Structure formats: structure tokens, C-alpha cells
Amino acid sequence: AVLAWLFEASDSSEKCVGSYLADTSSNLNVKNINPKVVGAEYAVRGEIVIRAEEYKRRLEKGDNSLPFKEVVSCNIGNPQELKQKPISFFREVLALTSCPELLEKVPNAFSTDAVEKAKEYLKIIPGGSGAYSHSMGIIGIREKVAKFIEDRDGYPSDPDSIFLTDGASSAVQMCLQLSIRGPQDGIMVPIPQYPLYSAGIALHGGTQVNYYLQESQRWSTTVDDLRNAYDEATRQGTNVRGLVVINPGNPTGQCLEESNMRDIVRFCNEKGIMLMGDEVYQTNIYSTTPFTSFKKVVCDLKEECPDVCLVSFHSVSKGFLGECGRRGGYMEVYGMDEEVKKQLYKLASVTLCSNIDGQIMTGLMVDPPKQGEASYEKYESERKEILGSLKARSEKLVKSLNSLEGISCNTVEGALYAFPSITLPPKAIEAARVAETAPDTFYCLKLLDETGVVVIPGTGFGQEPGTFHFRTTILPPPDKMDEVSGNVARFHEDFMKKYT
């Protein structure tokens, strides 16, 4: 069922639809625009972030009345906003493809292999980075992506089954738009989930079917959990068409075991539903559980599960790149009916093409400097430093959170987030009721007001009824992480004293 915590309840949606139908005014107002837009919510850019932006503006204007000197954005996986440095080689190539004149004017300012790589890209982009490309993306870059997938998984990949997209988000939206015909169609999503999925399902008029991850079991799920959610949805008349799996998890930070993934693939094959594998954090692994792609598992089980349709997503925004603003990514479709794939291509054509800088960055992500090349040692040093630092910061953050009364946090095995559980005192829950807000939202707003630290309440991602959480990134730089952890600890201690 669609989450009440994400879309102001369905009754309010129904009232909105009624007002919408009754309002024949030509001028747009909130009562006569598309009610699906009004009903959708996207928590990582919602109420708390709006207040945080207001605080940032006040600080920039010299307002000294706030109890903090800066706003620290731990609400979203935006690494470079929190001072993560870009990979030098990637930026060199991008500079040269954006301004080819530099190849002649200052070639010695760039590494020799960056110059060669830029020339390679300019050959496969005849119109340069300012021209449209094929709607599925530049074929030379799709070939690089296919090679990357083949090397990773040990199975062939077809460049004509790869779409280069504006980040993974636009690819997800295309798949939801393709799958959802109306409210009778459901998409299974994990709870907690990334609100891109709930918002997308709402915008396309579908039904969200929740399956719960087990916090006490490292945020794992079982086939029984999937089956129960599926059976309940079908009893209510919902036609389940797809299953979303986020691995490594967002917001939960877990890494799936391959045996668990095999069970998920068998379930999708049995039910005849599309598997949507969100794998944008595949290089953010901090545990002993290695990343395994769903493409590999589906191919491993090809004889047993011949009918699985899989769409996998990847992005330049996460990993160790953190190039969120480049809006680069891809999706690979596997096992999809050819006629359906043509319709997906038509959807891609409506937007003409994804941005070219994002496509180039995607190509660089999957085809980085190799051993023996001029930039390899620097690239490897930057990559290892970023990933090693993220692991150390995740461990430090989890240790700090677990030292606080009423907070419990699982180990961050992957991705960029911690998702601690908070046990809130009854007086705090009552204060939230009086303030007409969810208890964990109340907590997060107070945290922002008193420390400038921005985190997102669990209500924005979904959670077991009666539990409360918040999501925070592990992205603040090491010196800032100590400060953030200290501020959160002091706030939490005062909060618990006040409401106990």
C-alpha cells in the first residue's frame, strides 16, 4: 500500500482530486494542478532541508543569532559539497573534451594519458560535447560500459541493451513509467527505501507494495517477507509488476549475501515480475561481504530461471567519484522483450539524450587509468584514500551513535549512510503530537535548530510501525565528523534530559 507517511494520506489525496475536478479555473493553483504531483513527497529535499536552506541564507548575511556558525548537510549523498575532492584524471579529460582548444594551447598542463583519452572521446563524439547524441547514449561509451559489465560479471553484455542516462534517477523513472498503467499496478519496494521510488510510483499513479527489511538481522530480507507482501497485495487486487532491490542499501547500508540474491531472483522468476537492481553504491563496500551484481546472479541461474527480466542501475554520483552534479549513469536491460525495449527507447527519445558531460564521466568511471599508464598511480592513490577514509568515518560515526542513550545503529557495510534507531521518551512523542509532526521529524528539526546538522527522519524512508530512525551520511570530512558527532551527542543528551 502507498505509505501514509510519504504522501499525506489518501483521503487528503481524494479530497485534492475532488477539488481538482471541481476547479475549472484557467490559472494554475494548487487545487487544479495534477494531484499526483501534490501528493508526492521527496524527503531528502523536504521540510527540514527547506529550513536548513533558510538558515544558510541567514548565516551568509551575517546573522549571529543562531546557536551555530554553519549548516552541515548530512541529509543527502552529495560528497563534493562536503569537501570530497574529485578524481584528477577524470576532471582533466572532461576539461579537454569541453574545451578542445586546450589540447593545442596548454597540452603540457595535463597528464599525457588524459590528453590521449580526451582525443579518444572527441573522435567518438563528432559534434563535440555540446551536440545531441543518440538517445540511448554515445555508442562508443555504451561499448565501454558493456566491457566493464563483462569484466565484472564474466558474462556478455550488449551495448544495445545499455541506456546512458542523467544519473540513475531518470532511468528509474523511465522504468516506472513503462511499467505502471494505473493504480491497479504495484511495485514492491524495501522499507526503509530511497524515496525516489515512492515518489516515482505516486507520480505515475501506481501502488507501492512494501516489504520490510529486518533491522535485527543486518537489514536483511527473506523470500517469506517478499511472498507475504506479494500475497497481501494480490489479495487486495494489486497486479505486482516489479521488485526494487537496493544493494548496497540506502538508507540502511547493508550488503546482500549472494545466497539471498539467488532467492530473490528465483522469486521474480516464479512470479514473472521485473527485477530492478539499484546498484549505484557498488564500489562503496566496507565489510567482508563483496558486491555481487544481480546481472551475474541472473546469468548464473539462467537455466533454472530463464524468464527473469532485469534492469540494473549505476551512477557517477556515488562510489568514490561523487560527481553528482554531472548527472551521469546507465541502465542495462536484460531479458526484456524486444518490443518492450523499443518502447523504452521511445521514452528515452522524448528527452532527446542524456547530457554529454555525464556520458563522458560514465565512460571514465567504467574505463579508468590502467596499470602502466601515466595517471594510474595517482588515480589509485586518490581512489584508495577516498574509500579508506569513508570506511574509517563510517566506523567512527557508528561507534559514536551507539554510545548514546536510546540510539542503536547497525554497522555500515556499504553505501554512504547510517540509519540509527532512536527510542524516544513518551514526553517527546507527545510534544511531537502537539506540534503536529512525526516524532522522528520533531527530533530532527530540533537537532537542526540547535546544531545546524541536517539529517532526515525515518518517516521519509519508511520504517516498522512504532519505530523511529534518522538517516545521516558518513560524508563530513574527518575533522568535521568529530565536530558533528560531538554536536549530535550533546544535543541528544540535552533532548533526552528535557523529555524524560
Side-chain angles (χ1 to χ4, degrees), residues 182-353:
Q184 76 277 12
D185 290 334
I187 304 294
M188 295 178 68
V189 299
I191 298 298
Q193 53 99 31
Y194 181 55
L196 165 68
Y197 293 97
S198 46
I201 292 166
L203 286 170
H204 295 298
T207 294
Q208 182 175 316
V209 177
N210 299 333
Y211 67 93
Y212 286 89
L213 305 180
Q214 304 304 318
E215 186 169 9
S216 62
Q217 303 295 321
R218 297 173 43 245
W219 293 112
S220 64
T221 191
T222 67
V223 170
D224 286 341
D225 295 325
L226 298 178
R227 201 176 299 282
N228 290 339
Y230 180 93
D231 290 346
E232 178 60 25
T234 54
R235 273 195 295 272
Q236 294 179 10
T238 299
N239 177 28
V240 178
R241 310 206 80 201
L243 168 69
V244 174
V245 181
I246 308 172
N247 180 43
N250 176 11
T252 48
Q254 87 284 7
C255 295
L256 287 178
E257 301 281 353
E258 190 169 340
S259 58
N260 195 191
M261 297 172 70
R262 287 172 175 268
D263 289 340
I264 291 169
V265 169
R266 291 183 181 110
F267 173 80
C268 290
N269 186 72
E270 173 193 336
K271 300 301 183 184
I273 58 179
M274 177 174 66
L275 175 56
M276 299 172 66
D278 184 333
E279 299 175 339
V280 301
Y281 298 99
Q282 60 187 263
T283 56
N284 295 111
I285 305 294
Y286 319 121
S287 73
T288 56
T289 304
F291 170 77
T292 302
S293 74
F294 268 108
K295 169 71 177 297
K296 180 181 183 304
V297 175
V298 168
C299 289
D300 285 347
L301 296 177
K302 186 64 178 175
E303 288 190 14
E304 180 185 345
C305 303
D307 300 321
V308 174
C309 174
L310 168 70
V311 185
S312 305
F313 309 103
H314 197 8
S315 167
V316 304
S317 300
K318 312 304 177 187
F320 55 90
L321 280 72
E323 294 281 4
C324 305
R326 301 295 168 186
R327 307 313 299 133
Y330 72 79
M331 64 176 167
E332 181 190 31
V333 299
Y334 179 81
M336 180 177 281
D337 180 271
E338 285 300 318
E339 291 304 312
V340 175
K341 194 160 71 172
K342 288 177 183 177
Q343 299 304 310
L344 193 60
Y345 170 67
K346 180 168 67 179
L347 280 179
S349 301
V350 170
T351 57
L352 297 177
C353 71

Side-chain angles (χ1 to χ4, degrees), residues 370-485:
K370 296 176 178 60
Q371 194 162 10
E373 295 177 348
S375 296
Y376 176 75
E377 287 187 9
K378 185 176 183 180
Y379 163 78
E380 270 297 285
S381 173
E382 291 174 342
R383 183 185 71 84
K384 288 178 179 178
E385 195 281 326
I386 291 169
L387 292 175
S389 178
L390 286 171
K391 180 179 180 180
R393 281 178 269 169
S394 74
E395 291 169 349
K396 181 179 286 190
L397 178 63
V398 169
K399 183 178 180 180
S400 174
L401 290 169
N402 281 329
S403 71
L404 303 178
E405 176 193 359
I407 288 187
S408 174
C409 186
N410 280 331
T411 300
V412 177
E413 299 177 353
L416 300 175
Y417 317 98
F419 196 65
S421 169
I422 335 168
T423 301
L424 294 175
K427 285 184 181 177
I429 295 172
E430 174 58 20
R433 186 192 66 78
V434 171
E436 298 183 337
T437 191
D440 47 8
T441 301
F442 179 78
Y443 178 93
C444 294
L445 284 167
K446 293 292 185 185
L447 174 64
L448 170 62
D449 292 342
E450 296 182 28
T451 69
V453 175
V454 192
V455 298
I456 302 299
T459 49
F461 302 91
Q463 54 200 345
E464 286 275 7
T467 67
F468 306 111
H469 300 78
F470 65 85
R471 188 190 80 165
T472 177
T473 70
I474 61 172
L475 290 171
D479 57 334
K480 186 62 67 178
M481 181 65 82
D482 291 336
E483 183 183 332
V484 168
S485 297

